[in-house]
Amino acid sequence: MYVTKFDKTDCKVDLDSISPDAPKDISRDQAELKLESLGKEMFELQDLLWGARNHAVLIVLQGLDTAGKDGAIKNVAGFLNPRGVSVVSFGVPTKEEQEHDFLWRVHKHTPRRGEWTLFNRSHYEDILVVRVESLCPESIWRERFGHIRDFEELLVEHNTIVLKFFLHISKDEQKKRLYEREQDERTAWKLNVGDWQTREKWKDYKEAYEDALRKTSTERAPWHVVPANNKWFRNLVVAETIVETLRPYKKIWRKKLDDMGVRAKSELEAYRQRKSE
Ligand code: ATP
């Protein structure tokens, strides 16, 4: 496991001490091979969850601009049966959204049992961009740490498996990616002055993220910091974390499906019996 997991509130979080680079002991070829087999396992797990319908999966992707939220989602969703997956992106709140509590727009997109939802940005923006850009008073965003913990606890209590990922890139890597975007005419449409402006506040965002991780990591809704400077490694870590989190549920889902199979067979037998009488 190459992920750094935070599963306790008020834990020590120092992003500078976590490397955003892929470690030297794994090559891209090895990672891609492993990813392929994890992808197959993820698909099987999704199929069991879909049939058993006693859990839902919520995956939250956060990270600074160009960290690869979209790429990571594309990779995970690519392994899954589209039948049971939704992706939801959260941008600047609309007027209607602003006139509700900050969780209103989020809660209605949480997955029903049997299904997966991937969040590209999330309710965490309300303690990140809102904090750094001073979009509301500190007394309001500070309250939100507790609201978020309670909200996620509610989801977990109702059988949602919550996985939160922070895609960790370096400032240099971000610069490289922004320039690449500019040089390639196929990606230039993604250019946004705002990305450069946000970059100037790198330190403030880092502190806001550290605080978010510190205050909203819990045993049942942990944060995972993913080294994301190398896209192939980021994909591996995200997939591995998802599979390792879901694997322990396999037995429960299998058992429920086996019981359903036995019941269905006996109903069929009884039906045939009645027909033949
Ligand atoms: P991304 O940068 O995620 O790839 P994008 O550049 O295409 O997305 P949008 O999806 O339209 O842009 O919106 C993302 C922007 O919305 C980000 O700048 C983010 O900070 C902002 N945003 C998201 N949630 C909130 C919020 N609750 N309050 C204010 N701004 C928010």
Side-chain angles (χ1 to χ4, degrees), residues 48-61:
L48 294 176
L49 173 125
W50 170 265
R53 293 208 163 261
N54 38 12
H55 291 90
V57 176
L58 174 64
I59 298 175
V60 173
L61 270 303

Side-chain angles (χ1 to χ4, degrees), residues 73-193:
I73 288 174
K74 209 156 61 186
N75 192 262
V76 170
F79 291 124
L80 302 173
N81 185 334
R83 179 187 59 181
V85 193
S86 321
V87 177
V88 186
S89 300
F90 292 96
V92 177
T94 62
K95 186 163 183 296
E96 188 187 19
E97 287 167 350
Q98 277 170 25
E99 289 171 353
H100 287 87
D101 69 85
F102 78 107
L103 292 170
W104 179 76
R105 68 170 182 163
V106 178
H107 203 169
K108 59 184 173 188
H109 290 294
T110 54
R112 64 196 293 183
R113 284 181 204 148
E115 300 193 6
W116 295 41
T117 301
L118 296 126
F119 279 178
N120 183 345
R121 302 186 187 269
S122 63
H123 43 300
Y124 282 96
E125 293 296 326
D126 289 282
I127 49 168
L128 294 163
V129 64
V130 165
R131 168 181 179 163
V132 175
E133 305 297 339
S134 307
L135 302 180
C136 79
E138 176 167 351
S139 57
I140 293 185
W141 62 254
R142 274 215 179 271
E143 282 285 310
R144 292 180 175 165
F145 294 124
H147 293 315
I148 289 177
R149 283 196 304 269
D150 292 344
F151 169 60
E152 291 175 355
E153 179 59 25
L154 174 75
L155 298 180
V156 173
E157 202 55 45
H158 288 76
N159 283 8
T160 302
I161 300 163
V162 180
L163 278 144
K164 303 180 291 193
F165 292 101
F166 170 64
L167 304 182
H168 183 38
I169 54 164
S170 63
K171 203 173 174 192
D172 284 347
E173 179 62 24
Q174 186 191 55
K175 192 174 181 183
K176 193 177 130 229
R177 290 184 186 184
L178 285 172
Y179 275 128
E180 276 170 8
R181 210 173 255 189
E182 200 172 321
Q183 275 143 23
D184 187 341
E185 59 193 30
R186 286 165 307 174
T187 53
W189 64 273
K190 292 188 192 170
L191 290 173
N192 181 356
V193 180

Side-chain angles (χ1 to χ4, degrees), residues 181-209:
R181 210 173 255 189
E182 200 172 321
Q183 275 143 23
D184 187 341
E185 59 193 30
R186 286 165 307 174
T187 53
W189 64 273
K190 292 188 192 170
L191 290 173
N192 181 356
V193 180
D195 292 347
W196 286 93
Q197 286 163 343
T198 301
R199 185 178 155 75
E200 286 166 24
K201 298 182 182 156
W202 185 275
K203 195 167 156 281
D204 298 335
Y205 273 99
K206 185 180 79 83
E207 279 170 18
Y209 264 108

Side-chain angles (χ1 to χ4, degrees), residues 34-47:
K34 202 163 171 212
L35 181 62
E36 207 182 300
S37 98
L38 285 166
K40 285 186 188 139
E41 191 174 349
M42 204 189 293
F43 177 80
E44 284 164 21
L45 288 162
Q46 183 205 11
D47 218 37

